[in-house]
């Protein structure tokens, strides 16, 4: 094979002269299997900011660093231990051991060695360690587990290594289970919009609502979004689940309009993952047309990060949706990267003050902050809604300071749509 037709992986392996990933998996499995009287572990190491070495120093410096690391790791390579260069900045080792502390010491020794490499900034290697649960565990599975442990600390300068443990395993299992089940859940109508009423705190009158997704699981019961949305955001399925929730909301408002019943604006949540969905905007406009629901009856809630850069695609789409007639609401205000100046050219109609701002409103410092934020928002002509009102004290404080609309357990928890209807009709 000439150097020209080597795969990128082979080229890198050429640089360091270590085992390829494929050979490492193959030989590793064999060593673990044929030495049942030994305990083995696999270490996977990745450097969070390796690219900056290539970019800020030079490609050559990057290669030097990889060779420097490889030369150190090679010292451990013997009959029962293997060293591999998976790709770019990812290395792996198979190592026999008797005491877990040896593995921690090894990880620290690798860190110290890398630290000594001459660079104008600090690089951040992370090491994940998986101990072979049994002699018949394939090395590639162990690599997956070690990688998971590694990812749990990647880029955190205070954590140098992490062992894969049972809780990570259970988490992985649960994630896989949710991924497998949610598609059937969508088909079987287990995904349902609940609505949390928004009230005028002075009168407790219902002035709106927020649709919040629930998974009505046949055996596990009602599952809250906190448990499945982060997983769905990783695999993109959130786009489908959001669409299910939105459709239910449009269909419900449409039914009420046709029946001549009272309607109030309902908020729907827009995951930031829709930035990657080219038909996102059209889907919302189509829902509004198909169900003959005026866009003014639907409020689009996005977290503040979606509004960070006014050059982003998402920002442009949101402005177009607002021009079409939807209201925009900035969710979780104050929890992300928002700055005061950022608000000045915002297309949003409403700002939702995060629960964090009122949690300790007995504190005078918290009061000063809240007062200034709300008075600024008022001067900017933003509607204000406060989230997470739980106590009469919070309510009284807010009303005294001319904030009237809220959502919170003091009034109502999120509820099935049928229950919300009753409330609205009563
Ligand atoms: P969020 O959009 O900030 O929604 C408000 C959350 O605060 C809801 O939790 C609600 O039940 C909770 N909450 C309301 N009042 C109180 C209170 O007084 N005290 C306390 N402790 N909590 C209160 P939930 O329903 O578990 O939703 C959590 C998050 O999941 C939502 O936060 C939102 O980010 C996301 N989410 C929910 N439904 C959807 C959806 O259909 N699509 C997307 N993309 N995300 C959703
Ligand atoms: Ca929300
Ligand atoms: Ca919120």
């Amino acid at each position: 094979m000439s150097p020209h037709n080597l795969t990128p992986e082979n080229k890198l392996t050429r640089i360091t002269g270590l085992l390829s990933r494929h050979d490492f998996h193959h030989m590793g499995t064999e060593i673990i299997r044929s030495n049942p009287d030994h305990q083995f572990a696999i270490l996977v190491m990745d450097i969070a900011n390796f690219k900056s070495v290539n970019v800020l120093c030079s490609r050559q410096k990057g290669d030097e660093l990889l060779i420097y690391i490889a030369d150190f790791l090679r010292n451990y390579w013997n009959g029962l231990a293997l060293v591999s260069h998976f790709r770019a900045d990812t290395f792996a080792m198979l190592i026999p051991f008797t005491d877990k502390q040896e593995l921690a010491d090894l990880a620290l020794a690798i860190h110290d060695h890398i630290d000594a490499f001459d660079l104008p900034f600090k690089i951040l290697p992370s090491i994940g360690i998986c101990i072979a649960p049994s002699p018949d565990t394939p090395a590639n599975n162990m690599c997956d587990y070690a990688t998971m442990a590694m990812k749990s600390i990647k880029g955190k300068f205070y954590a140098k290594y992490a062992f894969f443990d049972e809780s990570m395993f259970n988490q992985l299992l649960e994630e896989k289970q949710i991924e497998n089940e949610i598609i059937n859940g969508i088909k079987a109508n287990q995904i349902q919009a609940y609505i949390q009423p928004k009230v005028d705190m002075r009168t407790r009158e219902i002035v709106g609502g927020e649709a919040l997704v629930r998974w009505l699981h046949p055996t596990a019961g009602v599952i809250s979004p906190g448990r499945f949305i982060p997983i769905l955001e990783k695999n993109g399925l959130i786009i489908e689940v959001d669409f299910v929730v939105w459709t239910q909301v449009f269909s419900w408002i449409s039914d009420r309009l046709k029946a001549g019943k009272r309607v109030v604006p309902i908020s729907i949540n827009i995951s930031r993952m829709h930035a990657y969905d080219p038909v996102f905007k059209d889907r919302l406009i189509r829902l509004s047309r198909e169900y003959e629901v005026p866009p003014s009856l639907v409020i689009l809630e996005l977290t503040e990060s979606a509004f960070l850069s006014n050059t982003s695609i998402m920002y442009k789409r949101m402005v177009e949706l607002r021009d079409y007639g939807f209201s925009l609401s900035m969710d979780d205000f104050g929890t992300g990267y928002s700055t005061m100046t950022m608000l000045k050219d915002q297309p949003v109609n409403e700002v939702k003050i995060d629960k964090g701002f009122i949690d300790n409103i007995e504190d005078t410092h918290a009061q000063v902050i809240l007062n200034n934020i709300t008075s600024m928002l008022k001067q900017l002509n933003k509607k204000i809604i406060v989230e997470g009102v739980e106590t009469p004290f919070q309510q009284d404080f807010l009303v005294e300071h001319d904030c009237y609309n809220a959502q919170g357990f003091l009034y109502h928890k999120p509820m099935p749509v049928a229950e919300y209807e009753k409330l609205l009709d009563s």
Side-chain angles (χ1 to χ4, degrees), residues 210 212 269 301 331 352 387:
E210 174 179 11
L212 293 158
N269 286 285
E301 285 193 10
D331 204 352
K352 291 189 95 172
E387 287 191 279

Side-chain angles (χ1 to χ4, degrees), residues 267-307:
S267 298
I268 54 179
N269 286 285
I270 315 281
S271 163
R272 57 182 177 282
M273 299 314 285
H274 292 281
Y276 306 102
D277 177 14
V279 295
F280 151 69
K281 189 191 87 191
D282 302 332
R283 269 184 154 182
L284 280 168
I285 291 176
R286 206 174 330 125
L287 280 172
S288 162
R289 288 202 183 124
E290 260 170 35
Y291 286 96
E292 298 172 46
V293 169
S296 58
L297 286 175
V298 178
I299 303 172
L300 312 179
E301 285 193 10
L302 279 102
T303 51
E304 56 189 10
S305 61
F307 299 100

Side-chain angles (χ1 to χ4, degrees), residues 145-344:
Y145 299 153
T147 301
M148 212 178 151
M150 183 268 288
K151 283 188 178 154
S152 72
I153 53 163
K154 193 169 176 180
K156 295 179 182 157
F157 64 89
Y158 52 87
K160 296 189 164 162
Y161 62 86
F163 282 92
F164 177 77
D165 65 22
E166 206 163 317
S167 69
M168 285 180 196
F169 186 76
N170 290 338
Q171 193 194 333
L172 190 72
L173 216 62
E174 193 183 297
E175 283 188 15
K176 285 279 160 264
Q177 205 175 344
I178 286 176
E179 273 180 19
N180 292 340
E181 286 187 16
I182 196 104
I183 296 179
N184 288 329
I186 296 174
K187 286 188 200 137
N189 275 334
Q190 292 166 11
I191 300 300
Q192 290 290 329
Y194 272 34
I195 299 184
Q196 184 177 33
K198 295 183 183 174
V199 301
D200 183 324
M201 288 185 277
R202 293 167 297 183
T203 57
R204 300 208 167 200
E205 189 205 350
I206 311 282
V207 295
E210 174 179 11
L212 293 158
V213 66
R214 295 293 181 266
W215 182 359
L216 310 184
H217 193 277
T219 52
V222 182
I223 308 181
S224 284
R227 267 184 66 199
F228 58 92
I229 285 190
I231 298 165
L232 303 186
E233 284 187 332
K234 272 193 228 163
N235 62 22
L237 276 172
I238 186 63
I239 292 191
E240 292 320 306
V241 168
D242 271 358
F243 188 61
V244 170
V245 173
W246 304 346
T247 306
Q248 290 175 8
V249 169
F250 277 93
S251 153
W252 176 73
I253 299 178
S254 170
D255 288 349
R256 284 191 70 91
L257 284 171
K258 283 178 189 147
K261 292 181 175 163
R262 179 182 172 219
V263 288
V264 288
I266 301 291
S267 298
I268 54 179
N269 286 285
I270 315 281
S271 163
R272 57 182 177 282
M273 299 314 285
H274 292 281
Y276 306 102
D277 177 14
V279 295
F280 151 69
K281 189 191 87 191
D282 302 332
R283 269 184 154 182
L284 280 168
I285 291 176
R286 206 174 330 125
L287 280 172
S288 162
R289 288 202 183 124
E290 260 170 35
Y291 286 96
E292 298 172 46
V293 169
S296 58
L297 286 175
V298 178
I299 303 172
L300 312 179
E301 285 193 10
L302 279 102
T303 51
E304 56 189 10
S305 61
F307 299 100
L308 258 184
S309 145
N310 58 10
T311 55
S312 73
I313 309 170
M314 195 61 171
Y315 188 97
K316 287 190 189 122
R317 290 202 187 121
M318 294 316 292
V319 171
E320 286 162 3
L321 284 164
R322 188 206 50 193
D323 293 345
Y324 185 77
F326 288 99
S327 286
L328 304 188
S329 176
M330 188 188 283
D331 204 352
D332 303 337
F333 177 76
T335 59
Y337 302 98
S338 57
T339 63
M340 299 303 142
T341 50
M342 188 186 115
L343 270 172
K344 82 176 163 15

